[in-house]
Amino acid sequence: MTLRSPTGPGAVSGPGEPGGEMGTEEKENHCSEPQRRILKTPLKQSATSYSVLTEIQPDSGPLTTPPKSQEVPPGDPWTPTANLKILISAASPEIRNREQKKGLFDRSEIVETKHCLHEHLSGDEYEKSQPSRKEKSLGLLCHKFLARYPNYPSTAENSDICLDEVAEELNVERRRIYDIVNVLESLHMVSRLAKNRYAWYGRHNLNRTLQTLKKVGEENKYTQQIEMIKKREYEFELDGDRNEEMTTKPVGPNEHSEMCFVELPGMEFRAASVNSRKDKSLRVMSQKFVMLFLVSTPQIVSLEVAAKILIGEDHVEDLDKSKFKTKIRRLYDIANVLSSLELIKKVHVTEERGRKPAFKWTGPEVLPGIQDTKPVTTTTSLIPSNSAKSKYPKEQCSKNLFPSRGKQSFTRHPSLMKLVKTIESDRRKIHSAPSSPSKTSTNNDQNSSSLPSKMAQLAAICKQQLEGQSRELKVKLTRSTLECKLTSSDESLLKCEPNTTSSCQTPSLVQPLGVLPLIHNSVSPVMLPQTHSAISYAIYLHPSQAQTVTTLPSVPCPNVTGTKSVFNANSQIPFNQMTTEERDSNTGEGDAGNLVAKERQVTKIEFTPERCLKRSQALQENSSIKKCRRDEKSLEDVYTGDSLKGERPSSRAVHLEPEINHFQEGSQNKSEKLDQNMEFCFDHERREGLSEDKSRASNTQEMPVAFAVPAHETLFPSGYIIPLAQCTQHGNEAIFSNKEKSGICSLPHMTYGSPIAGVVPVTASEFTAVNIPAFHVTPLKLMVSPSSIAAAPVVNSSCLNSSHSNPVQNPSSSILNFTLQHLGLIPAGVQVSPNPVLQPVPISPKPEHVSPVSENVSLQQGRVFKNESQITECDLNGKSGAVIPLQQTTVPVKPEEPQAVTENFFRTPGGPNAISSFASSSADSDGADGILRGNLFAPQRKLDVSEDQL
DNA sequence: CCCTCCCGCCAGGCG
DNA sequence: CGCCTGGCGGGAGGG
């Protein structure tokens, strides 16, 4: 409870004691409360990383293990968090000492020691030992916090979060915990149960939330606002440079200035009673901030712009500098948390004036259309199921929706009300007849959704085709994604049944399956929905994907600029919207019209390693950053927390190209990536073409299904209710989410498999020009080691296990080989063996689950991994499937760094051994997986750390 | 000096 | 009234 003490304690501990960071663990021990334990358990698993950070591996009885914690052997599998720790430790020797010391002592000892130390050491030493601010940073704290809970908690586990406990364990003031929780709440990763008490949902709802936020953001016209702001700035500069500052807040407040908290149905109710503060600006700000990323094409948002927009909405009028400053401060707080979640990365956008701090979205891509549908549906049905939330009255939903300034806030938009009612009715049905009814409802929803989604997809496709090659490519992707989604949905459904927590889910499963086939038919390549075997999916997908991919690559371009231009042209997105970086790149193109402001903006986006967290980036940098950029991104994506259940995959699949961008960014840290432009271009295309089209189509469809927010307009102002099925389906949810997003194969399995598929569509020639090679790397892997392919299966199995226990149905090796060969991925002579062992590749599977840290890790050495992972995901996702054939040939890696790819490939973090580790890890439950994962990637992380430090 | 952002005062609101 | 929340901004660490 000494809130402040944290520092003190930390300091104390720092010197040589277990203290500070360890606190959490210690507390765990101390904490008698069941809740904690519950949480802890899960946490620990996931938390391993933490343990790394703090002390050790508290995991299971872990306290004893302290010694381990101290230093992570490079090879050791650490959790992503662990990587953070490493980074941190690397950054500050002091920390290391602490950790080591911590490790040395048993928890009890540690605790004692802490106290003693405090006394003995006295402030100076302790303080000195303590890390400085960095160690106390919100980002680090958030990592620790996140480490305590599984990304995808099973419904069974209750994950209650006691703020006091957490604060104690983490040795921080409760106030700080609020900052974290508020942001998490904005993402619906957490919800308030009562005073001092929050429920942990993890990332189950993340995709839905993001989709919803994206919708809202679109409705709000944030894109336009951003453009406006940029234009103004630009104009000002031209004129006289004044800082436009806030005075003119571009944001058109009219549109939707109001602060509304976007809620997912079910999530917030509880809070209603609990939530005292209506306007929790931090929450709303967080959501809006996220919306900006989701809406903006480059997905890069500068703090300045974000602050202006946020202010503008609230009160355009007051634009005091102080207010602006305050906003910025808050945004930093939010950004730190989001960074910890690996949803964003810190970047620098260089403009004429100079560098501006900005953040890039590194989270899963949110597909508007398709996603919406499914998600919504799912959500609806699911909602009831969730135990915690099951009962939310409509009223509750409505309340939170409008936290607006006054208490009155809770008025809902009529459209929303409808939605709410619908949802409630659904819930009732479900509840009333848990099994059957729910199923029906679910089925209905799903069916409807699925069908519409298909329709939407088709429509989208048509549009795309018309638009142009780029579009075509996109379309293909979409298709693939759709297919994937379908399949994934099927799988998910299947999976869901077992879980049954939510009756709804089960039913849904059934129907979807039926639907899926159709889709598949339409899309040639996509595999059937074999629900279970991820591997199989992956493989099948590849062929189709490969095609798709192939086309895509061509689109983008050989030249970055050209590519961009292409995308831009295709994409409807105005240049203005594009980040400065993009603009720059784009500028060359002919979009001039749109370009208004961009001209000056220049830009590079530099990634600054965000503190410890950014390790991954750093890693990338070290090696051939540029080369790997994309790979990195992919890796990151994969590894990022989202990854666990396949969310990532889905997202990635959708955004294959975007992934690339991410990679680049990562690489940028060291060397700024000029190439990023390319990336952006890709992203744009994807977004615009795929996502938009899809979203549009899907939206229509979707609307009906869930009550997804009805009309954009209307809904927007008021609050949005998004029916999320909360975690009921632990694993399932994740799946759904994945599906939602990209339609991808939400299944983690898919992800794993994907690597093989080398999604990278780009042709060698094209890639060459760009840096894309990384993507291609994946193919290489395939090429290189047939075994890798085998690995994929393995992975899948593992994944399945981990994620859902579904037995993986691996296609026979012969089939795989055939497929691969057929695709051209693998040389005819080569055959992939199912054995994972040989293959280096495999990393991907777990990584997903693994938190961000893993990503980083992968990046370093592993760019390769990322590549793989990315590819994998992509493939799975959908689009991806494109298995590009791979291999080296495909790899157009730039001459510069071509080797890197290969190296990376082999490097795979675990190396050959890694595979084995995977297998073992796969067996583990999610939590365990996380750890394993972490271990696999650990080495990389370390690297990352160094980079960060760099 | 500037960017970040930690720290904690202090107030609103609930129990 | 006390406690929980969390808005808010001073001011300091780090580069």
Side-chain angles (χ1 to χ4, degrees):
Chain A
M1 312 294 331
T2 55
L3 297 180
R4 296 181 180 179
S5 57
T7 341
V12 173
S13 62
E17 297 176 354
E21 295 175 353
M22 298 310 289
T24 51
E25 292 176 354
E26 293 175 355
K27 290 180 180 179
E28 290 177 356
N29 296 340
H30 296 292
C31 301
S32 59
E33 296 179 0
Q35 291 176 340
R36 283 186 181 177
R37 289 182 182 179
I38 296 168
L39 294 178
K40 289 179 180 179
T41 331
L43 292 178
K44 288 179 181 179
Q45 295 172 342
S46 63
T48 34
S49 60
Y50 267 14
S51 57
V52 174
L53 294 176
T54 45
E55 312 173 337
I56 322 167
Q57 341 128 334
D59 300 349
S60 32
L63 296 180
T64 56
T65 44
K68 296 176 181 178
S69 61
Q70 293 175 342
E71 294 177 354
V72 177
D76 290 0
W78 293 68
T79 2
T81 347
N83 291 340
L84 292 177
K85 259 195 170 181
I86 297 169
L87 293 175
I88 296 168
S89 63
S92 61
E94 293 176 356
I95 296 170
R96 290 180 184 175
N97 295 337
R98 293 177 184 177
E99 291 178 355
Q100 293 176 351
K101 291 179 181 178
K102 291 178 181 179
L104 297 177
F105 302 87
D106 290 351
R107 291 182 181 178
S108 60
E109 292 178 355
I110 294 168
V111 173
E112 293 176 356
T113 53
K114 285 183 179 179
H115 297 292
C116 297
L117 292 177
H118 289 289
E119 294 175 355
H120 298 291
L121 296 181
S122 74
D124 297 348
E125 292 179 356
Y126 292 101
E127 292 176 355
K128 292 178 181 177
S129 62
Q130 289 181 347
S132 51
R133 282 186 155 204
K134 289 183 179 179
E135 294 183 1
K136 297 176 185 176
S137 72
L138 189 63
L140 182 58
L141 179 61
C142 185
H143 265 73
K144 290 179 181 178
F145 180 89
L146 294 174
R148 307 179 84 242
Y149 311 88
N151 284 328
Y152 298 91
S154 63
T155 51
E157 322 174 1
N158 343 335
S159 313
D160 285 3
I161 299 173
C162 175
L163 296 182
D164 288 335
E165 291 179 358
V166 174
E168 285 183 17
E169 293 179 3
L170 298 179
N171 288 318
V172 296
E173 297 179 25
R174 196 195 283 157
R175 177 75 192 71
R176 302 278 74 78
I177 300 296
Y178 285 124
D179 290 337
I180 294 170
V181 168
N182 286 335
V183 174
L184 293 177
E185 195 174 6
S186 72
L187 297 174
H188 302 292
M189 290 180 67
V190 159
S191 69
R192 212 190 211 179
L193 295 175
K195 246 189 185 180
N196 233 336
R197 193 141 231 136
Y198 281 81
W200 172 258
Y201 298 115
R203 293 175 185 256
H204 284 298
N205 296 324
L206 189 56
N207 288 333
R208 291 174 192 162
T209 301
L210 294 177
Q211 290 179 1
T212 302
L213 292 176
K214 186 172 184 178
K215 280 186 178 179
V216 175
E218 290 173 353
E219 292 177 358
N220 290 350
K221 299 180 182 178
Y222 275 112
T223 307
Q224 295 177 0
Q225 292 185 21
I226 293 170
E227 291 178 358
M228 297 261 309
I229 293 171
K230 290 181 180 180
K231 287 182 179 179
R232 289 184 182 181
E233 291 179 356
Y234 181 71
E235 292 176 357
F236 287 115
E237 291 177 355
L238 294 179
D239 293 351
D241 286 13
R242 19 171 159 168
N243 301 335
E244 26 350 288
E245 297 184 0
M246 313 44 218
T247 53
T248 40
K249 297 195 170 170
V251 176
N254 311 341
E255 298 171 355
H256 28 70
S257 54
E258 306 170 357
M259 303 279 297
C260 308
F261 181 78
V262 176
E263 295 180 351
L264 295 183
M267 298 302 294
E268 299 183 331
F269 316 130
R270 337 164 159 177
S273 61
V274 178
N275 296 338
S276 47
R277 298 213 173 175
K278 310 138 187 184
D279 55 340
K280 309 185 169 188
S281 65
L282 197 66
R283 290 177 196 165
V284 175
M285 280 184 68
S286 176
Q287 290 190 332
K288 289 184 178 178
F289 191 47
V290 169
M291 284 179 209
L292 294 177
F293 286 101
L294 298 177
V295 170
S296 61
T297 303
Q299 289 194 316
I300 294 174
V301 176
S302 69
L303 285 177
E304 188 177 320
V305 171
K308 289 180 181 178
I309 291 175
L310 294 180
I311 292 171
E313 289 181 354
D314 294 353
H315 305 283
V316 177
E317 316 135 359
D318 352 72
L319 297 180
D320 301 346
K321 247 197 173 181
S322 63
K323 190 169 189 180
F324 182 75
K325 227 180 167 183
T326 298
K327 220 67 176 176
I328 294 281
R329 277 195 222 116
R330 282 323 124 222
L331 286 174
Y332 276 118
D333 293 339
I334 295 167
N336 282 325
V337 175
L338 294 177
S339 294
S340 293
L341 290 171
E342 296 185 348
L343 293 177
I344 62 173
K345 261 186 196 174
K346 189 179 280 180
V347 181
H348 283 92
V349 176
T350 305
E351 293 183 355
E352 294 176 354
R353 293 181 180 176
R355 277 191 185 178
K356 288 184 178 180
F359 290 88
K360 181 179 183 177
W361 181 257
T362 58
E365 295 245 341
V366 177
L367 298 183
I370 296 168
Q371 297 172 345
D372 293 351
T373 351
K374 289 183 179 179
V376 174
T377 332
T378 336
T379 311
T380 315
S381 62
L382 295 178
I383 295 169
S385 64
N386 295 346
S387 60
K389 304 173 183 178
S390 57
K391 311 174 176 174
Y392 316 108
K394 297 174 182 178
E395 297 173 357
Q396 292 175 343
C397 297
S398 62
K399 289 181 180 179
N400 292 336
L401 295 179
F402 303 81
S404 52
R405 313 161 179 174
K407 293 185 174 182
Q408 44 177 348
S409 50
F410 303 121
T411 4
R412 259 187 206 170
H413 194 290
S415 62
L416 293 178
M417 296 300 291
K418 292 179 181 179
L419 293 175
V420 174
K421 291 179 180 179
T422 307
I423 294 168
E424 289 179 354
S425 62
D426 293 346
R427 291 179 183 174
R428 291 177 183 175
K429 291 177 182 179
I430 295 167
H431 289 291
S432 61
S435 60
S436 62
S438 63
K439 289 180 181 178
T440 7
S441 63
T442 307
N443 291 343
N444 294 343
D445 292 349
Q446 289 177 345
N447 291 342
S448 63
S449 65
S450 64
L451 293 176
S453 64
K454 290 179 181 178
M455 297 295 291
Q457 292 174 349
L458 294 175
I461 294 168
C462 294
K463 289 180 181 178
Q464 291 175 349
Q465 290 175 346
L466 294 175
E467 289 175 352
Q469 293 175 344
S470 62
R471 296 268 175 162
E472 291 177 354
L473 295 176
K474 292 177 181 179
V475 172
K476 290 179 180 178
L477 294 175
T478 25
R479 289 181 182 177
S480 63
T481 54
L482 294 174
E483 293 176 354
C484 296
K485 290 179 180 179
L486 293 176
T487 53
S488 63
S489 63
D490 292 350
E491 292 180 353
S492 64
L493 294 175
L494 294 176
K495 291 179 180 178
C496 295
E497 291 178 355
N499 293 345
T500 59
T501 47
S502 60
S503 59
C504 301
Q505 296 174 345
T506 307
S508 63
L509 292 176
V510 174
Q511 292 178 344
L513 292 177
V515 172
L516 294 178
L518 295 177
I519 294 167
H520 293 290
N521 294 344
S522 64
V523 180
S524 57
V526 175
M527 288 311 289
L528 302 182
Q530 293 177 346
T531 56
H532 303 291
S533 61
I535 298 168
S536 61
Y537 286 98
I539 294 168
Y540 291 102
L541 293 176
H542 294 295
S544 61
Q545 290 176 344
Q547 294 173 346
T548 307
V549 171
T550 311
T551 54
L552 294 176
S554 61
V555 172
C557 52
N559 297 339
V560 174
T561 317
T563 307
K564 291 179 179 180
S565 63
V566 171
F567 288 95
N568 292 342
N570 293 343
S571 63
Q572 296 171 345
I573 299 166
F575 289 84
N576 295 343
Q577 293 176 345
M578 299 180 65
T579 54
T580 52
E581 298 169 356
E582 291 178 350
R583 291 177 182 178
D584 293 348
S585 64
N586 291 338
T587 322
E589 301 174 359
D591 293 348
N594 293 342
L595 303 178
V596 181
K598 7 171 167 177
E599 316 78 21
R600 41 168 178 175
Q601 296 175 346
V602 168
T603 38
K604 303 174 171 182
I605 297 171
E606 297 173 353
F607 285 80
T608 54
E610 297 172 351
R611 299 177 182 180
C612 299
L613 298 179
K614 295 182 178 178
R615 44 203 156 181
S616 61
Q617 294 175 346
L619 294 177
Q620 294 174 346
E621 292 175 353
N622 294 342
S623 50
S624 55
I625 296 167
K626 294 178 180 179
K627 295 176 181 179
C628 301
R629 294 174 183 176
R630 294 176 182 177
D631 294 348
E632 291 175 351
K633 290 181 179 180
S634 63
L635 291 177
E636 291 176 352
D637 293 351
V638 172
Y639 295 94
T640 343
D642 295 354
S643 61
L644 294 181
K645 292 197 171 174
E647 291 179 352
R648 292 262 166 144
S650 63
S651 63
R652 289 183 181 178
V654 173
H655 304 278
L656 296 177
E657 292 174 354
E659 291 175 355
I660 294 168
N661 295 338
H662 295 291
F663 292 111
Q664 291 176 344
E665 291 177 351
S667 62
Q668 286 178 344
N669 293 345
K670 292 180 179 179
S671 62
E672 300 170 353
K673 300 174 181 177
L674 297 179
D675 296 349
Q676 291 176 343
N677 294 336
M678 296 294 292
E679 294 175 355
F680 288 99
C681 294
F682 288 95
D683 292 349
H684 293 291
E685 287 182 354
R686 291 179 182 175
R687 294 175 183 174
E688 293 175 354
L690 296 178
S691 60
E692 289 179 356
D693 293 348
K694 290 180 180 179
S695 64
R696 293 175 183 175
S698 61
N699 289 342
T700 25
Q701 295 173 347
E702 292 174 355
M703 298 298 294
V705 174
F707 32 159
V709 179
H712 308 289
E713 335 70 52
T714 49
L715 295 180
F716 179 78
S718 54
Y720 291 81
I721 298 169
I722 301 168
L724 295 181
Q726 292 180 341
C727 314
T728 46
Q729 307 168 344
H730 311 297
N732 293 343
E733 290 179 355
I735 294 168
F736 285 102
S737 62
N738 292 341
K739 293 176 180 179
E740 294 175 355
K741 291 179 180 178
S742 52
I744 303 168
C745 319
S746 51
L747 302 181
H749 321 309
M750 295 303 293
T751 310
Y752 298 109
S754 61
I756 296 169
V759 175
V760 181
V762 176
T763 58
S765 62
E766 293 174 351
F767 285 104
T768 359
V770 182
N771 287 335
I772 304 171
F775 293 89
H776 302 290
V777 172
T778 309
L780 292 178
K781 292 178 181 179
L782 295 176
M783 296 297 291
V784 173
S785 61
S787 62
S788 64
I789 296 168
V794 171
V795 172
N796 294 342
S797 63
S798 64
C799 297
L800 293 175
N801 295 343
S802 63
S803 63
H804 305 290
S805 78
N806 295 346
V808 174
Q809 297 172 345
N810 296 342
S812 63
S813 61
S814 63
I815 294 170
L816 294 174
N817 290 333
F818 175 82
T819 305
L820 294 175
Q821 292 175 356
H822 188 67
L823 294 177
L825 296 177
I826 301 169
V830 176
Q831 289 182 346
V832 176
S833 65
N835 299 339
V837 174
L838 298 179
Q839 307 157 349
V841 174
I843 301 166
S844 55
K846 297 278 167 137
E848 295 175 351
H849 297 279
V850 176
S851 55
V853 173
S854 61
E855 292 178 353
N856 295 339
V857 172
S858 62
L859 292 177
Q860 296 172 341
Q861 295 176 342
R863 292 177 181 177
V864 173
F865 288 97
K866 287 184 177 181
N867 293 341
E868 293 176 356
S869 66
Q870 291 176 344
I871 293 168
T872 308
E873 291 177 356
C874 295
D875 292 350
L876 293 178
N877 292 346
K879 54 178 7 344
S880 37
V883 172
I884 297 179
L886 16 199
Q887 330 195 5
Q888 301 108 359
T889 52
T890 26
V891 182
V893 174
K894 295 177 181 179
E896 301 171 352
E897 303 171 343
Q899 295 174 346
V901 173
T902 309
E903 292 175 357
N904 292 341
F905 190 100
F906 289 89
R907 287 182 184 177
T908 22
N913 295 341
I915 297 168
S916 62
S917 64
F918 282 111
S920 64
S921 65
S922 63
D924 298 354
S925 62
D926 293 350
D929 291 352
I931 295 168
L932 294 176
R933 298 169 189 169
N935 293 342
L936 294 177
F937 297 91
Q940 293 174 344
R941 288 182 180 178
K942 288 180 180 178
L943 295 175
D944 292 345
V945 171
S946 62
E947 289 178 357
D948 292 351
Q949 293 173 344
L950 295 177

